[in-house]
Amino acid sequence: MAVSFVRFGLRSVALSLERTAALLSTNTVQNQIKLIHSKPICNGTVCYLPEKSRDGHELVERSNSLRRCYSKQHGRPEEDRRKEQSDSDSDSDTECKGFDRSEFWRRKMRTVHNILDVDKDGLISFNDFLLFADRFKALGHLDEEQTKEFTAIIKMTWEEQWGAIDPYNFVTVEQYLEDMHHVLNDKSLKKRAHRWLPYLFKAVDKDKSGFISVEEFKLFFQCLGLDNEHAAVAFAVIDTNGDGKLSMKEFVKLGKDFFRTEDEGRVSKMFWGPLIDV
């Protein structure tokens, strides 16, 4: 008889635990559904999804609910860029207040991210930056001083925009979109962001004439990993005065305009080659 009571007691405890687990599981699922359909709240520095109590009122913001938007400081926190889950969906755009750039602009930024991702692993690292610069230096048209300056500017650009030079410091597509949006809203960063463009020009100006012909523009596209046919088409479009050449001033202006404008009618959209579709 005592054994029966013990068994009955254990069975009652087990059933109670099962009901509790089921209730917690149901509440967890319901909370997750609420979070999925909740609108992010941003304060200019961070965005987070609010948790809701049973009566529908938002709870106090908690640290584990915070979601990174973009920092107004130079460079993103190192831990936010570590490659912890390489299979994460890096193509999604962050929905933050003010981050309402057009899909056309986002396509342009994805295009450049793909170009800077030299090893094609879906992420930009400082090593990618170095490999990108090495393609232009390998043409052999920069002198020793220009090569040193180019390397220094590439390093400085990385540190100002993405922080520490670290083998585990990666920039996903989403982070690149956030950071370029940040750059365009920071006058100081905006002015310095693409200081390496003149060195790309000098690297492909093989006759040192101060102008780039269509053949030299093909060298530029080759360094971007694009073919000559795309280069010829792009050059025909961006050479608006039809003189068959681009000055450094024209080249740099087109390169910067690509990042700054959302106007689909601007010829600068051809500067970095065909825009990717995804």
Side-chain angles (χ1 to χ4, degrees), residues 76-139:
R76 295 169 54 80
E78 181 180 334
E79 61 272 15
D80 282 356
R81 296 188 301 275
R82 292 201 177 265
K83 186 183 178 183
E84 296 177 351
Q85 308 228 347
S86 60
D87 58 346
S88 63
D89 182 11
S90 61
D91 284 335
S92 60
D93 296 339
T94 302
E95 296 179 2
C96 298
K97 184 178 180 181
F99 191 65
D100 54 356
R101 298 282 175 178
S102 66
E103 177 57 28
F104 172 66
W105 182 85
R106 291 197 288 267
R107 280 183 67 199
K108 291 197 294 182
M109 296 308 103
R110 293 187 188 108
T111 298
V112 177
H113 183 278
N114 184 59
I115 289 172
L116 295 177
D117 176 21
V118 178
D119 60 13
K120 302 305 176 189
D121 64 351
L123 303 160
I124 300 175
S125 66
F126 180 65
N127 187 57
D128 283 314
F129 252 42
L130 292 180
L131 292 173
F132 176 77
D134 285 345
R135 289 179 175 180
F136 289 91
K137 290 187 284 188
L139 295 175

Side-chain angles (χ1 to χ4, degrees), residues 114-118 120 128-142 150 199-205 215-228 231 251 272:
N114 184 59
I115 289 172
L116 295 177
D117 176 21
V118 178
K120 302 305 176 189
D128 283 314
F129 252 42
L130 292 180
L131 292 173
F132 176 77
D134 285 345
R135 289 179 175 180
F136 289 91
K137 290 187 284 188
L139 295 175
H141 305 146
L142 295 175
F150 185 27
Y199 293 90
L200 305 188
F201 179 92
K202 294 174 183 178
V204 299
D205 181 19
E215 293 303 317
E216 291 170 323
F217 195 75
K218 288 177 182 178
L219 290 178
F220 173 56
F221 264 41
Q222 287 173 20
C223 291
L224 300 184
L226 304 173
D227 60 40
N228 289 340
F251 182 90
W272 296 98

Side-chain angles (χ1 to χ4, degrees), residues 30-220:
Q30 291 175 344
N31 287 338
Q32 293 299 320
I33 292 174
K34 288 179 181 179
L35 287 175
I36 290 172
H37 294 284
S38 296
K39 184 177 180 181
I41 295 177
C42 298
N43 62 13
T45 302
V46 295
C47 293
Y48 64 92
L49 294 174
E51 292 188 38
K52 294 187 178 180
S53 60
R54 292 182 181 178
D55 60 0
H57 293 294
E58 294 177 2
L59 297 177
V60 177
E61 174 184 329
R62 298 195 298 187
S63 61
N64 63 354
S65 300
L66 294 177
R67 183 168 185 267
R68 177 76 178 175
C69 178
Y70 68 88
S71 171
K72 293 184 179 180
Q73 300 174 354
H74 292 175
R76 295 169 54 80
E78 181 180 334
E79 61 272 15
D80 282 356
R81 296 188 301 275
R82 292 201 177 265
K83 186 183 178 183
E84 296 177 351
Q85 308 228 347
S86 60
D87 58 346
S88 63
D89 182 11
S90 61
D91 284 335
S92 60
D93 296 339
T94 302
E95 296 179 2
C96 298
K97 184 178 180 181
F99 191 65
D100 54 356
R101 298 282 175 178
S102 66
E103 177 57 28
F104 172 66
W105 182 85
R106 291 197 288 267
R107 280 183 67 199
K108 291 197 294 182
M109 296 308 103
R110 293 187 188 108
T111 298
V112 177
H113 183 278
N114 184 59
I115 289 172
L116 295 177
D117 176 21
V118 178
D119 60 13
K120 302 305 176 189
D121 64 351
L123 303 160
I124 300 175
S125 66
F126 180 65
N127 187 57
D128 283 314
F129 252 42
L130 292 180
L131 292 173
F132 176 77
D134 285 345
R135 289 179 175 180
F136 289 91
K137 290 187 284 188
L139 295 175
H141 305 146
L142 295 175
D143 60 33
E144 185 177 351
E145 183 178 354
Q146 291 170 337
T147 299
K148 289 181 180 179
E149 291 175 355
F150 185 27
T151 302
I153 286 177
I154 286 292
K155 180 176 181 291
M156 191 182 303
T157 298
W158 178 271
E159 291 176 329
E160 288 184 346
Q161 292 186 215
W162 295 296
I165 294 176
D166 185 312
Y168 297 99
N169 186 0
F170 297 98
V171 181
T172 65
V173 174
E174 180 184 62
Q175 290 163 356
Y176 187 76
L177 287 163
E178 291 181 24
D179 291 337
M180 291 313 302
H181 172 74
H182 176 203
V183 166
L184 296 182
N185 285 278
D186 185 308
K187 291 182 180 180
S188 179
L189 280 179
K190 184 177 179 180
K191 183 177 180 179
R192 303 195 308 270
H194 301 101
R195 290 168 294 184
W196 36 268
L197 282 170
Y199 293 90
L200 305 188
F201 179 92
K202 294 174 183 178
V204 299
D205 181 19
K206 62 181 180 180
D207 61 3
K208 301 187 183 301
S209 65
F211 294 92
I212 291 178
S213 65
V214 64
E215 293 303 317
E216 291 170 323
F217 195 75
K218 288 177 182 178
L219 290 178
F220 173 56

